[in-house]
Amino acid sequence: MARWEPNASERLAMAALDLFSERGYENTTVIDIAQRAGLTKSTFFRHFQDKREVLFGDGTMNGLLAEAVAATPATAAPLEVVAHVLDAFGRQAFTPARREFVARRRAVIAANPELQEREALKGLGLTASMAEALRRRGVPDLTACVAAELGALAMKVAYERWSDTPDGDYFSDVARRALDEVQAALPQGPN
C-alpha cells in the first residue's frame, strides 16, 4: 500500500485493530501499526496522539452530535433531540459496512483495561457534550443532564446489541428501540 493513498487514519485504525487482535495491545507498537498500514511513524502521530487513541477517532462523534442537534427542529423535546442524534450516529458512524469493525473493536477493548478506560472517558465526554448541546437549546440543566444520561444508556445498549448481530437491523432502529425501553423503565410517579 502506497504512503500517499487516502484514508490514512482509517488505515491506521484497521492496522491497529488487526495487530491488537493478533498480538495484544501491550505487544503492539506505534511503529508496528504504521508499518502494517504502509505508513510512517510520523504519519501516525499526525493523526493520533498515541496508540491508545487509534481506535477512538478524532472527535468525529462529537462533531456528528453537534450537527445532529443543530439539525433538530427547535420545538423538539429533549429526548427527541437525543433520538435525532442516535439516528445521525446510525447514518454516519454505525453503518452496516462498519458493523464487523465495531464488533472486533469491542472485543479488543473488552480485553484491555487501558482501552476500557479510554472508552469510558469517551462515553462521558459524549454525554457531557449532549447535555451542553441541550442546555444551549434552552433546556434546563437537570433536564439536559437526565436526557443526556438516558441517551448515553440507550446508546450503550444499542451499540452492544447492534454490533453483536451480524446481519440485524440498522443501528438507528436498534437505538430507537433501546431509547423506548430506557424510557419505559423509568418509574411513573410515586410508589
Side-chain angles (χ1 to χ4, degrees):
M1 203 174 286
R3 292 178 190 198
W4 52 266
E5 288 184 27
N7 301 323
S9 62
E10 186 175 322
R11 288 168 47 203
L12 289 163
M14 289 299 295
L17 184 61
D18 289 343
L19 289 167
F20 294 165
S21 296
E22 293 167 16
R23 301 179 186 174
Y25 174 79
E26 296 84 7
N27 298 321
T28 302
T29 67
V30 167
I31 292 172
D32 296 333
I33 295 166
Q35 286 176 343
R36 176 71 66 98
L39 299 166
T40 64
K41 179 177 152 185
S42 61
T43 300
F44 180 96
F45 287 115
R46 275 197 293 277
H47 292 276
F48 303 104
Q49 185 176 5
D50 58 36
K51 76 174 183 177
R52 189 174 71 147
E53 292 298 313
V54 73
L55 295 182
F56 295 97
D58 55 358
T60 305
M61 297 300 279
N62 280 324
L64 288 176
L65 184 147
E67 290 172 16
V69 169
T72 304
T75 57
L79 286 177
E80 290 176 279
V81 176
V82 168
H84 194 79
V85 168
L86 293 173
D87 288 344
F89 285 171
R91 281 190 310 275
Q92 298 178 45
F94 303 126
T95 63
R98 290 194 44 90
R99 190 186 312 252
E100 181 184 344
F101 175 85
V102 169
R104 290 180 60 216
R105 178 185 174 276
R106 275 188 60 219
V108 165
I109 291 170
N112 187 281
E114 189 174 341
L115 295 175
Q116 291 171 22
E117 178 184 344
R118 177 64 184 98
E119 180 84 333
L121 289 172
K122 180 182 175 188
L124 290 172
L126 279 173
T127 303
S129 293
M130 174 58 80
E132 180 56 32
L134 289 168
R135 283 191 287 273
R136 283 194 305 272
R137 291 173 64 92
V139 175
D141 187 55
L142 181 59
T143 303
C145 289
V146 169
E149 291 289 341
L150 291 175
L153 178 57
M155 171 83 169
K156 180 182 183 300
V157 169
Y159 182 77
E160 291 171 1
R161 288 177 181 171
W162 176 79
S163 63
D164 283 343
T165 309
D167 294 316
D169 293 334
Y170 287 101
F171 179 84
S172 298
D173 297 331
V174 176
R176 287 285 184 138
R177 284 193 301 273
L179 187 58
D180 289 344
E181 289 175 39
V182 166
Q183 284 180 269
L186 294 174
Q188 303 298 316
N191 290 328

